[in-house]
Amino acid sequence: MLCQNCGKKEATTHIKQIFGGEMSENHLCRDCASHLGYGDMLPGFGLNISQLLSGFAGDFDLPAPARETLRCPKCGASFGEIVSTGNVGCSECYHTFYERLLPIIEQTHGKSRHTPSHSSPVKEKEKTKEEKIAALRLEMSSAVSREDFETAAALRDQIKTLEGGETQ
Amino acid sequence: MTKWYNTVGEAGDIVLSTGIRLVRNIEDFVFPCRLDSEGRQKVSQLVRDIVFDAFPDEFCYIETDTLTYMQRLSMAERNIISPEFAGRDDKNGLILSSDENTGIMLCEQDHIRLQTIMPGLCPEQAYEYAGKIDKAIAEKVKYAYSDSIGYLTQSPSDLGTAMRCSVMLHLPALSDMGRLPRLARSIRSLGFSIRPVYGVHSRTPGDFYSVSNRITLGIDEKTAVNNLKSITSHIAAQEHNAASLLIEDEAWQDRIFRAYGILSTARLLSYEEFMQLISIVRFGSATGVIDVPLEKTNMLIIGGQPATLSVIKGVDDTSTSRNAARAKMVREVIRER
Ligand SMILES: [Zn+2]
Ligand SMILES: [Zn+2]
């Protein structure tokens, strides 16, 4: 389906809205969605994340046999089902498929760690240098993809510093 | 308490309302996409009983299959429920406050979708109120939560605080001066987004916009709420500046009085014409050009929405009946002193 706004690109964002007393569904491409203020996939507006999930599945998936057999012990969902529907099945899914969901979470929020509001500070595990660099790279690529070059440049410098420390 | 759209709150010339929405799931149950009807029933009753116990007489419980499609659409027009929830014709639970400013959708996208709306710019108060209900529920059930990624939600885009804070703004001057695209970019760079409240892509009558946080992970509730408040104050200041320039122009004053003239005399008002004119009259009211109370314009904007009009005026849902009923309501409200 083509985007209703530009009529050129493939529509990936589907928005349910009420207009003129009728329910209407709007189909927009990623650029137009972002331009019109829907780029954030705000839930409650029926935006579909399965496109995004599918886009990532190829890069981050486990080898085929593991993909076939691995199911969430609590709800029975496979990663493939989560990808095709855009819906996570239960709280345990986040544990079972954590590594594969993480890039999606990164892509959506630009971050991958919760900042709790209450006094209980989250005790962050000490990461190895490789983990730190990997995390920074991920953050950098998502900064680039949202055209936040300032952040990307700062992250690149951080990565350089870390990598530089290694050679010394 | 009165409905949010019948009063004017802080910065009410520009900010019609503030909304907070919290998404929660209960650890003991799988998410709604995998929950059978028995489980849905259990979750709905559980949450209903907790809310009724904690806030006696403040809420009622509605099963959505007892409502007509028009009633559900009207609730969505008034921001009580989401368009998706309105579109479903199976049986779903909705907990609603008596003033209809707070609603809890049960087993929609997530087990609990709590949203509250207040007039004017008041994100702290709205968050505090929503948090009170949230806390009462959290005392009785274990929420699905992880230290590393926060509240666990059916869609990964809600993870973290699982909170959206939003304001509904009326920005006729910035819109007229073509300043919105640039403003939207800077709002976006701050982690928020702006979009039209009414309308579909190119057709957006009335210059009403909603601003809300884009991300929920890695930013705590207080910061999000404070950021929304300062961004909104910043936008309001810009709108004030733009408005003071516009109203010096006699052509704009003329537009305001003409819009008022049509609204107070027309016999038929289509939805789009009405939205355009009420937006202009509201602008005249906000800038003191014309003597129409803001409350009246707010009330008309909501009351003039098609499904709501059908429900409150009891007219059928053809556009001819609605256009006549809309014109009659607008004439009566705008003329009365
Ligand atoms: Zn497009
Ligand atoms: Zn699961």
Side-chain angles (χ1 to χ4, degrees):
Chain A
M1 186 185 300
L2 287 178
C3 168
Q4 290 178 331
N5 194 50
C6 64
K8 288 175 193 144
K9 277 171 265 178
E10 184 68 18
T12 53
T13 301
H14 310 280
I15 307 144
K16 263 212 177 96
Q17 267 185 316
I18 289 170
F19 182 71
E22 274 161 36
M23 188 81 74
S24 65
E25 196 160 352
N26 294 279
H27 311 282
L28 302 172
C29 72
R30 205 176 161 147
D31 293 344
C32 290
S34 164
H35 179 70
L36 295 168
Y38 298 100
D40 51 326
M41 307 178 304
L42 222 166
F45 288 83
L47 307 186
N48 197 344
I49 68 152
S50 59
Q51 293 281 348
L52 178 62
L53 285 160
S54 321
F56 270 99
D59 298 348
F60 293 90
D61 224 346
L62 287 177
R67 180 174 46 195
E68 290 305 312
T69 51
L70 188 57
R71 285 191 171 269
C72 169
K74 184 169 160 187
C75 75
S78 69
F79 189 66
E81 283 162 359
I82 295 175
V83 167
S84 62
T85 58
N87 288 328
V88 176
C90 74
S91 56
E92 189 59 30
C93 288
Y94 280 108
H95 189 237
T96 312
F97 305 111
Y98 188 68
E99 270 82 47
R100 282 187 280 174
L101 286 168
L102 205 56
I104 295 153
I105 296 168
E106 271 277 352
Q107 168 81 10
T108 309
H109 297 273
K111 287 184 184 137
S112 60
R113 262 204 105 73
H114 176 50
T115 311
S117 54
H118 17 81
S119 50
S120 71
V122 176
K123 288 167 227 83
E124 188 142 4
K125 248 194 338 208
E126 193 54 47
K127 285 180 182 163
T128 66
K129 189 185 288 172
E130 287 70 31
E131 280 173 337
K132 277 183 194 162
I133 292 173
L136 288 171
R137 278 193 195 287
L138 205 55
E139 243 182 88
M140 185 172 77
S141 65
S142 74
V144 170
S145 71
R146 58 175 196 272
E147 295 181 24
D148 182 356
F149 299 116
E150 218 169 294
T151 308
L155 289 164
R156 187 200 51 210
D157 293 345
Q158 283 184 43
I159 295 169
K160 268 193 187 156
T161 314
L162 275 173
E163 285 174 338
E166 202 169 7
T167 53
Q168 280 163 12
Chain B
M1 250 175 94
T2 39
K3 296 185 169 118
W4 65 267
Y5 46 84
N6 289 339
T7 49
V8 173
E10 199 184 320
D13 56 339
I14 289 166
V15 188
L16 281 91
S17 64
T18 301
I20 294 283
R21 200 209 60 204
L22 301 174
V23 172
R24 301 288 185 255
N25 288 287
I26 301 168
E27 177 64 37
D28 294 344
F29 296 88
V30 298
F31 294 163
C33 67
R34 297 215 150 232
L35 195 60
D36 57 18
S37 61
E38 194 191 331
R40 299 170 73 92
Q41 196 72 25
K42 271 190 192 157
V43 169
S44 302
Q45 284 171 2
L46 180 65
V47 179
R48 178 193 66 190
D49 292 347
I50 294 169
V51 173
F52 277 16
D53 268 358
F55 306 93
D57 304 325
E58 266 183 62
F59 292 90
C60 64
Y61 182 75
I62 298 169
E63 274 167 347
T64 51
D65 59 346
T66 63
L67 302 171
T68 64
Y69 181 57
M70 260 324 128
Q71 285 173 321
R72 298 201 303 273
L73 281 190
S74 166
M75 282 183 159
E77 284 176 350
R78 289 176 283 150
N79 289 316
I80 296 167
I81 59 176
S82 66
E84 286 75 24
F85 200 70
R88 294 169 64 147
D89 19 66
D90 52 341
K91 180 169 160 174
N92 292 286
L94 170 69
I95 301 171
L96 190 62
S97 67
S98 47
D99 58 16
E100 296 188 348
N101 292 341
T102 303
I104 306 172
M105 290 177 266
L106 296 166
C107 295
E108 190 226 19
Q109 168 94 358
D110 293 270
H111 294 148
I112 296 169
R113 246 163 208 253
L114 160 64
Q115 53 186 58
T116 192
I117 309 177
M118 290 184 180
L121 178 61
C122 57
E124 293 108 329
Q125 292 91 320
Y127 175 64
E128 197 188 312
Y129 183 71
K132 213 170 69 180
I133 303 167
D134 180 38
K135 209 170 148 230
I137 302 171
E139 275 169 15
K140 305 282 179 185
V141 298
K142 187 167 179 272
Y143 280 148
Y145 179 85
S146 131
D147 283 341
S148 58
I149 50 175
Y151 291 101
L152 302 175
T153 52
Q154 187 167 286
S155 165
S157 58
D158 285 323
L159 288 169
T161 59
M163 181 198 77
R164 297 278 168 199
C165 48
S166 61
V167 285
M168 177 172 164
L169 308 176
H170 185 212
L171 305 174
L174 288 172
S175 166
D176 184 73
M177 294 173 94
R179 301 246 192 98
L180 286 178
R182 230 187 93 207
L183 189 67
R185 277 198 296 279
S186 54
I187 290 171
R188 199 177 154 73
S189 71
L190 295 165
F192 283 74
S193 70
I194 181 166
R195 74 182 57 151
V197 177
Y198 301 107
V200 286
H201 46 102
S202 53
R203 291 157 70 212
T204 54
D207 300 319
F208 297 96
Y209 296 88
S210 111
V211 173
S212 61
N213 57 319
R214 275 193 296 124
I215 51 167
T216 50
L217 188 63
I219 178 168
D220 68 276
E221 290 90 341
K222 284 247 157 62
T223 310
V225 158
N226 289 338
N227 288 355
L228 178 70
K229 192 164 184 182
S230 56
I231 289 168
T232 305
S233 307
H234 178 75
I235 299 172
Q238 290 203 13
E239 173 68 21
H240 280 146
N241 283 340
S244 62
L245 291 175
L246 283 192
I247 54 162
E248 279 176 23
D249 184 354
E250 201 161 26
W252 251 103
Q253 300 215 1
D254 184 60
R255 275 179 81 179
I256 293 167
F257 284 101
R258 277 170 186 274
Y260 177 81
I262 296 173
L263 288 185
S264 51
T265 53
R267 263 33 190 183
L268 292 173
L269 279 174
S270 76
Y271 175 58
E272 295 193 42
E273 184 185 19
F274 161 71
M275 286 301 286
Q276 271 148 15
L277 296 174
I278 194 76
S279 175
I280 296 170
V281 168
R282 194 183 188 283
F283 176 60
S285 163
T287 50
V289 171
I290 200 166
D291 183 24
V292 176
L294 276 173
E295 290 89 326
K296 280 190 180 179
T297 62
N298 292 355
M299 189 277 242
L300 285 174
I301 289 158
I302 299 297
Q305 297 301 311
T308 303
L309 194 69
S310 282
V311 170
I312 59 177
K313 297 293 173 192
V315 293
D316 63 64
D317 51 3
T318 61
S319 54
T320 332
S321 313
R322 276 178 179 162
N323 293 352
R326 185 180 290 118
K328 184 165 183 284
M329 175 185 77
V330 173
R331 275 201 317 273
E332 286 168 0
V333 170
I334 222 161
R335 278 173 164 181
E336 84 188 7
R337 288 281 149 179

